[in-house]
Amino acid sequence: LWKKRPDIRFSGVCFGHQILCRALGAKIDSTPDSKWELAHTPIHLTPIGARLFNNPKGGRIHLHQMHQDHVLHPPSSATTSLLPEQNDRDIHVWCSSETTEVQGVYIRERLFTTQGHLGFDEDMVHRQVEMRIESGSIDKEKDREELDKAQYTAEWEHDGVVVASAILRFFHGDDDKI
């Protein structure tokens, strides 16, 4: 579909970010020490991210996170035949966090992904954390620091609307010159 329909734009959030990057050859793995990235997280914009978001808050946005796996490196022509070598300069990581270097990928007119959740609110963060504790994927002892942070920051405002707006501009073609 990627090659046969170059007119289609793709977007993914969290697992969608990971799966689209994997489909384009990127490697997905656990974060260092299998550390969870939970709740309200500062996301540092790269120069392309600053352009996509008109550099809000001095080069930083905040999103709720809920993941333990992450994209290790962005897609490239070295990892897949779906991306021609001459287009490697057009593949951009638009943001990173302390835990996750590839928080989002942008390919003009083709791809806009984000690891962070746009629509999470306080109730959703708490519910997602509880579900992961009940399933055993979050260990209350081992992951205490991340759980405390999630509990404390779940109610904080984040920039999900800002990111959703940028994704809509991407689908409308408003940022095609970036």
Side-chain angles (χ1 to χ4, degrees):
L1 186 60
W2 182 270
K3 278 198 166 200
K4 290 183 182 210
R5 293 292 307 273
D7 58 313
I8 293 179
R9 295 170 188 238
F10 295 85
S11 183
V13 174
C14 193
F15 183 67
H17 158 70
Q18 295 173 12
I19 201 72
L20 284 167
C21 288
R22 183 175 179 177
L24 294 173
K27 184 171 170 55
I28 314 303
D29 205 351
S30 296
T31 58
D33 299 322
S34 296
K35 179 182 176 183
W36 279 91
E37 194 165 35
L38 299 175
H40 194 270
T41 305
I43 308 296
H44 307 283
L45 300 175
T46 64
I48 198 80
R51 289 179 62 201
L52 289 168
F53 296 100
N54 298 317
N55 207 12
K57 299 182 184 172
R60 208 168 62 167
I61 61 173
H62 294 85
L63 289 173
H64 282 301
Q65 304 285 329
M66 190 68 60
H67 67 98
Q68 194 175 26
D69 292 339
H70 66 146
V71 177
L72 295 178
H73 56 78
S76 75
S77 63
T79 62
T80 181
S81 63
L82 294 173
L83 297 169
E85 189 173 325
Q86 69 270 21
N87 289 351
D88 278 354
R89 70 184 179 285
D90 298 327
I91 301 166
H92 304 281
V93 173
W94 64 263
C95 61
S96 64
S97 69
E98 183 180 311
T99 303
T100 304
E101 193 171 319
V102 183
Q103 274 281 344
V105 176
Y106 178 77
I107 302 173
R108 185 171 42 96
E109 300 178 11
R110 293 307 313 268
L111 182 71
F112 196 132
T113 68
T114 178
Q115 182 65 61
H117 291 269
L118 316 178
F120 271 25
D121 62 13
E122 180 179 5
D123 291 338
M124 291 176 80
V125 170
H126 291 304
R127 188 170 44 250
Q128 291 292 320
V129 167
E130 284 304 315
M131 286 173 30
R132 284 166 174 76
I133 290 171
E134 289 171 10
S135 72
S137 59
I138 291 180
D139 182 306
K140 281 184 162 182
E141 299 305 316
K142 177 184 166 285
D143 302 314
R144 174 56 44 208
E145 183 180 335
E146 289 80 16
L147 284 169
D148 288 346
K149 178 186 173 201
Q151 190 73 15
Y152 179 72
T153 66
E155 67 182 32
W156 292 4
E157 277 200 39
H158 61 92
D159 296 302
V161 171
V162 172
V163 178
S165 296
I167 291 171
L168 285 173
R169 286 193 307 273
F170 162 74
F171 277 109
H172 289 184
D174 296 344
D175 289 338
D176 284 355
K177 290 186 172 45
I178 293 178

